[in-house]
Amino acid sequence: VMLENNSTINVRVLNRAGQVQLSRTYQGAEGLNPLNLDVSGLFQGLYVVEIATDHLTRQFKTTILR
């Protein structure tokens, strides 16, 4: 996640029903902030990853395959 200034980064992984399956909060610094999520506890399938900072929220679809 690229940030223009220090900001909290909230990451949520939602299943197809919109239920939160994973939620993490990071303290981001100005510049590029790589994020690693351990999804080993999630079942195979389609998910929505939501990344929110103090100024912006984005959602991405992703598939977990085993």
Side-chain angles (χ1 to χ4, degrees):
V1 175
M2 182 66 78
L3 297 176
E4 293 181 8
N5 51 32
N6 295 350
S7 179
T8 300
I9 304 168
N10 294 301
V11 179
R12 298 189 319 160
V13 178
L14 299 93
N15 64 15
R16 289 177 34 181
Q19 299 167 318
V20 177
Q21 301 298 298
L22 183 66
S23 180
R24 297 287 182 268
T25 300
Y26 301 91
Q27 189 57 45
E30 180 179 346
L32 183 61
N33 293 268
L35 304 177
N36 293 310
L37 289 176
D38 179 7
V39 296
S40 62
L42 300 180
F43 292 109
Q44 179 172 303
L46 179 66
Y47 292 87
V48 173
V49 178
E50 180 182 89
I51 300 174
T53 65
D54 293 339
H55 306 287
L56 184 67
T57 299
R58 295 279 189 212
Q59 291 185 334
F60 306 91
K61 290 182 183 175
T62 191
T63 303
I64 295 175
L65 301 173
R66 303 270 183 235

